[in-house]
Amino acid sequence: MKAIVKKKLHTLFEQKGETEIFDGTKTKTYGYNGSFLGPVLRFNKGDKVKIKLINELDEDTTFHWHGLEVAGDADGGPHGIIEPGEEKLVEFKVTQEAATLWFHPHPDGKTSEQVYNGLAGLIYIEDDNSKSLDLPNKYGQNDIPLIFQDKTFDEKKQLNYNAAMNEDGTIGDTLLINGTLNPKLTVKKEKVRLRLLNGSNARNFTFKLNTGDSFEQIATGGGLLNEPVTMKEITLTPSERAEIVIDFSKLNTEDELALINEEDGSTLLPFEVSGQSREDSDIPEEMNDFSITDEEMDLPVTKKVELFGMMDKVTINGKKFDPERIDFTQKQGETEVWEIYNKPDEMGE
Ligand SMILES: [Cu+2]
């Protein structure tokens, strides 16, 4: 993945390109400021960010910051269309805590295909707390971005979004990690932080070490947990992020080590462990201080949300998406309790 773009990023293009995913063959792809996927955008809490967005595709698109707390006019939802050849300047202030987010297009009805073609990138937010903690933070050395996406290619090795469509979306038979086929990751005998993004359309991943060894989860898509949680596997549905730390100094590196997908037993990412680290990080027992007060626990349910349906029949509380309608309003700074119900369909799924 490309070098980190620091705060001075001014322009983000959505563009078409060609990428050599298979040796000697060019695959038509989409990308941000390149032919496939995007750079990692790094923000600090408190930053005032100004980005010029340019649509160089020949279709409508938007630039959406998934998980960022940002005003609607800068968020690039389906209402924020940028037409082919057009550009738009967005400005926002980063107000939330350290987290791993991602960006992608979000035009109504075209989102998944544009992401599938390659429009996806990571956003890292850091804050004083995350910088003061002794977490692995050397980009590309012990702090690794990993975007997992399954694709289907036709016989000419071109992306085929419609090939394996089911009622959940499209699935693929070929895994790309950071846009790369069959990658492996070389690490030292130290604690390594993996920032996992499930960037697939409809596939879940349950990440697990092939040896069954445990690792620590330090963050969800919302930011750092209060304390690290030891676990042996973690499931991410599409769009979800998690940060995990694997301590390679504690693993038997004579074994072939790999991250596998417990859902189907497939190997996702083999590790090659070579060399000792000079200074290993020390994961703190306390990383954050989220709490819910007793008063908040006792609040009655403010809103009920019923999710139902598949594809273009998806509804929330029986209503389909309509950009002209606002269903919920709430006051900033006020705690609400939402009850979310995922209603099964006739098949009971
Ligand atoms: Cu999103």
Side-chain angles (χ1 to χ4, degrees):
M1 198 169 303
K2 304 230 182 59
I4 301 165
V5 176
K6 297 256 185 197
K7 269 184 285 179
K8 285 194 182 124
L9 176 88
H10 292 299
T11 307
L12 204 55
F13 296 91
E14 282 185 0
Q15 60 188 76
K16 296 205 279 188
E18 287 184 327
T19 307
E20 194 176 322
I21 297 167
F22 297 88
D23 281 346
T25 307
K26 290 207 159 65
T27 299
K28 290 192 175 71
T29 51
Y30 287 3
Y32 291 98
N33 297 15
S35 68
F36 200 26
L37 300 176
V40 176
L41 307 182
R42 303 201 72 158
F43 304 144
N44 285 305
K45 185 180 178 183
D47 279 354
K48 286 185 182 145
V49 179
K50 227 184 214 184
I51 309 180
K52 192 199 277 184
L53 311 170
I54 302 180
N55 178 6
E56 289 194 340
L57 306 175
D58 46 23
E59 55 188 300
D60 287 358
T61 191
T62 80
F63 291 69
H64 171 60
W65 326 103
H66 184 118
L68 192 73
E69 294 169 16
V70 66
D73 60 358
D75 192 40
H79 54 283
I81 289 292
I82 303 177
E83 290 177 10
E86 279 197 342
E87 57 181 66
K88 181 185 175 185
L89 188 74
V90 289
E91 292 181 60
F92 52 83
K93 189 173 175 188
V94 179
T95 57
Q96 76 208 71
E97 296 195 7
T100 301
L101 316 175
W102 69 299
F103 59 104
H104 64 80
H106 204 326
D108 189 22
K110 290 290 278 181
T111 297
S112 56
E113 189 165 2
Q114 291 185 3
V115 175
Y116 190 84
N117 286 337
L119 290 172
L122 287 165
I123 302 172
Y124 292 3
I125 299 177
E126 299 288 347
D127 61 14
D128 290 346
N129 177 43
S130 69
K131 284 189 232 167
S132 74
L133 302 172
D134 189 11
L135 297 171
N137 63 3
K138 290 191 200 84
Y139 181 83
Q141 294 175 45
N142 62 7
D143 183 357
I144 316 289
L146 294 171
I147 303 176
F148 294 82
Q149 298 178 306
D150 59 333
K151 310 281 184 193
T152 306
F153 294 90
D154 65 17
E155 67 280 2
K156 290 187 175 142
K157 302 290 183 207
Q158 299 304 309
L159 287 166
N160 192 339
Y161 171 72
N162 290 308
M165 192 63 74
N166 64 27
E167 70 277 9
D168 285 328
T170 191
I171 52 160
D173 54 12
T174 306
L175 175 74
L176 300 183
I177 302 178
N178 297 347
T180 304
L181 195 64
N182 300 322
K184 71 172 189 217
L185 182 63
T186 304
V187 293
K188 291 199 170 118
K189 284 193 181 190
E190 63 176 346
K191 295 183 193 77
V192 176
R193 175 189 200 166
L194 305 180
R195 303 195 193 221
L196 311 171
L197 163 65
N198 181 352
S200 300
N201 187 272
R203 181 182 295 278
N204 292 348
F205 290 98
T206 296
F207 298 94
K208 189 180 174 182
L209 283 163
N210 61 335
T211 52
D213 283 298
S214 55
F215 51 82
E216 310 272 313
Q217 184 183 4
I218 58 166
T220 67
L224 291 169
L225 296 167
N226 282 355
E227 61 225 26
V229 178
T230 304
M231 50 177 57
K232 291 199 165 163
E233 57 180 56
I234 183 168
T235 300
L236 296 182
T237 58
S239 266
E240 270 193 289
R241 288 87 59 213
E243 296 177 39
I244 63 170
V245 173
I246 300 173
D247 189 348
F248 286 95
S249 71
K250 295 228 173 85
L251 300 182
N252 181 1
T253 52
E254 318 267 282
D255 296 340
E256 304 261 294
L257 287 171
L259 209 54
I260 61 168
N261 183 9
E262 178 68 5
E263 308 270 331
D264 58 8
S266 62
T267 296
L268 300 172
L269 181 63
F271 298 110
E272 191 174 294
V273 187
S274 83
Q276 213 80 31
S277 142
R278 261 186 250 157
E279 37 181 325
D280 200 356
S281 50
D282 189 13
I283 310 298
E285 275 165 38
E286 263 185 64
M287 301 184 295
N288 219 334
D289 60 355
F290 284 112
S291 63
I292 301 175
T293 63
D294 292 345
E295 272 172 10
E296 286 171 327
M297 287 300 288
D298 287 342
L299 286 172
V301 172
T302 328
K303 291 188 176 78
K304 290 195 176 184
V305 181
E306 184 183 277
L307 309 169
F308 183 66
M310 290 292 185
M311 305 295 275
D312 60 342
K313 297 193 176 56
V314 168
T315 59
I316 298 177
N317 292 349
K319 290 183 205 161
K320 282 175 74 164
F321 171 71
D322 178 352
E324 301 303 324
R325 193 186 67 234
I326 292 172
D327 293 321
F328 289 166
T329 51
Q330 47 276 326
K331 279 198 181 135
Q332 204 167 22
E334 222 164 69
T335 302
E336 292 200 349
V337 179
W338 289 28
E339 191 178 273
I340 298 170
Y341 175 51
N342 186 5
K343 188 177 167 185
D345 61 22
E346 299 80 48
M347 312 293 287
E349 283 165 358

